Amino acid sequence: MAEIQNTVILGSGCAGLTAAIYTARAGLKPLVLEGHEPGGQLSITSLVENFPGWPDGIQGPELIDNMKKQAARFGAAYQLAHLVSVDLSVCPFRLTTSSGEIRTHSLIIASGASARWLGLPSEQALIGHGVSSCATCDGFFFRGKEIAVVGGGDSAMEEALFLTRFATKVTLLHRRDAFRASKIMLDRVMAHPNIELRTSTVVEEVLGVDEHEVKGLRLRDVKTGTLSELPISGLFLGIGHEPNAKMFAGQIDLDADGYVRTKDNVFTTHNGEVVEGVYACGDVQDRRYRQAITAAGSGCMAALEAEKFLEEHGH
Ligand code: NAP
């Protein structure tokens, strides 16, 4: 039987790698399962200018690579595997991964949330070249430019309003006439002189793939079928995120949208009771802030709690 791990960290984004640095420095030899999106959302961002300590900014993939090396230096191990199923009812916990079974005394869930994309090939080809799902991360690069935001919920409204700080014009595109967004957010958007709302409109194609930068959008009016082109330099998706926590359903509490419910930021629960030895950090449990630095902060907290738990249980 394979050895029992002290700590398995699920996910290798900012939260998971910070948890890895802390647990590795505590001598716990954490095993990080890198998952299906190694490096998390930072690995698809370009310049990160709001992570403290980098006065000139740092490329997202470089920041992640640095964190990975930092944890490895203290003994963290990495495995390119994703979780297939989990059994938290037995101690040590049993994880079935794409590379076999792992048993562990503690588990840190840092599997993140994946931004929803439209799924167009042209959109996917231009991620990081004018297509983004994070206004806070990338809005700054569109100073003085015209851009578009897709979505009809609060995220899209918030992104559109935020992006008016940089862009000269923001066109908000929504596929229906009715909005999910709260009235107050929608009212703000409608009252903003630099935001134009286009409803019943879908993006058919992002233009600029050959030039490796967004040049515009081909749009379709869903009521009339009319096609049109919108010249813009940036496209922001504000159509929501999917927390990567489905495999925990029934074993820890998730909220209505599938985010892990936590107590005191990092303790997971089952039917309201704390699940000892299982912690969650980063975007899988945070729908509100979703920043690299907040994910890192909660990764640190989860690691400190895991360390305390292992010590108390004599591991
Ligand atoms: P959301 O409320 O689920 O809205 C997603 C929007 O994206 C919907 O308008 C949806 O259109 C659209 N959409 C989804 N898939 C699409 C596709 N493939 N193509 C085109 N459009 C698509 O998600 P959210 O805006 O991220 O909000 C999530 C939760 O966080 C909400 O509870 C929200 O109130 C909250 N939140 C609050 C704030 C705030 O208060 N400041 C900020 C952000 C988020 P349909 O309407 O047609 O389905």
Side-chain angles (χ1 to χ4, degrees), residues 4 35 87 109 117 125 189 258:
I4 300 170
D87 185 355
I109 303 167
W117 301 95
V189 161

Side-chain angles (χ1 to χ4, degrees), residues 12-279:
S12 56
C14 210
L17 292 176
T18 304
I21 292 168
Y22 273 77
T23 48
R25 288 194 77 249
L28 296 174
K29 294 191 167 43
L31 173 65
V32 181
L33 297 186
E34 297 206 53
H36 64 284
E37 286 175 25
Q41 293 185 58
L42 271 186
S43 63
I44 54 165
T45 307
S46 48
L47 195 63
V48 179
E49 292 185 315
N50 54 8
F51 200 88
W54 301 94
D56 301 318
I58 180 167
Q59 291 293 324
E62 192 187 347
L63 180 57
I64 282 294
D65 199 44
N66 286 349
M67 290 184 191
K68 215 174 146 178
K69 285 184 192 141
Q70 192 174 350
R73 184 157 81 84
F74 298 108
Y78 299 91
Q79 199 172 318
L80 261 176
H82 60 266
L83 192 63
V84 177
S85 63
V86 61
D87 185 355
L88 303 179
S89 66
V90 290
C91 248
F93 309 123
R94 280 178 195 278
L95 313 180
T96 306
T97 78
S98 50
S99 313
E101 189 178 278
I102 298 172
R103 291 189 303 156
T104 181
H105 293 299
S106 66
L107 177 66
I108 296 179
I109 303 167
S111 44
S114 303
R116 282 197 203 119
W117 301 95
L118 298 174
L120 303 167
S122 52
E123 166 207 55
Q124 295 297 303
L126 289 166
I127 291 174
H129 300 274
V131 174
S132 170
S133 61
C134 179
T136 319
C137 320
D138 298 326
F140 186 79
F141 303 113
F142 296 89
R143 191 176 285 284
K145 307 217 164 121
E146 297 196 3
I147 57 151
V149 174
V150 180
D154 282 330
S155 291
M157 304 301 137
E158 199 169 62
E159 293 209 350
L161 289 164
F162 177 77
L163 288 164
T164 57
R165 296 185 196 182
F166 313 104
T168 47
K169 183 180 174 192
V170 177
T171 305
L172 183 65
L173 305 165
H174 181 36
R175 63 184 177 184
R176 294 189 298 142
D177 279 346
F179 289 86
R180 284 179 202 272
S182 50
K183 187 177 179 311
I184 187 164
M185 297 287 275
L186 185 58
D187 285 349
R188 276 185 205 150
V189 161
M190 289 171 84
H192 201 291
N194 296 349
I195 302 179
E196 184 187 332
L197 234 66
R198 283 177 69 167
T199 53
S200 304
T201 301
V202 293
V203 179
E204 291 259 302
E205 189 185 351
V206 186
L207 307 172
V209 172
D210 290 343
E211 294 93 334
H212 303 296
E213 62 176 9
V214 172
K215 295 286 184 190
L217 301 176
R218 185 170 355 267
L219 303 175
R220 180 168 53 87
D221 183 310
V222 293
K223 287 189 173 158
T224 63
T226 312
L227 294 176
S228 61
E229 281 189 14
L230 179 70
I232 43 130
S233 308
L235 172 65
F236 285 83
L237 282 308
I239 60 175
H241 285 76
E242 296 278 355
N244 300 315
K246 284 195 183 75
M247 57 289 213
F248 294 103
Q251 305 201 54
I252 56 174
D253 297 331
L254 308 179
D255 73 11
D257 294 321
Y259 286 85
V260 176
R261 278 189 203 279
T262 48
K263 215 170 168 175
D264 295 336
N265 299 305
V266 292
F267 293 96
T268 64
T269 58
H270 185 222
N271 298 328
E273 297 292 323
V274 166
V275 181
E276 288 210 42
V278 182
Y279 311 91

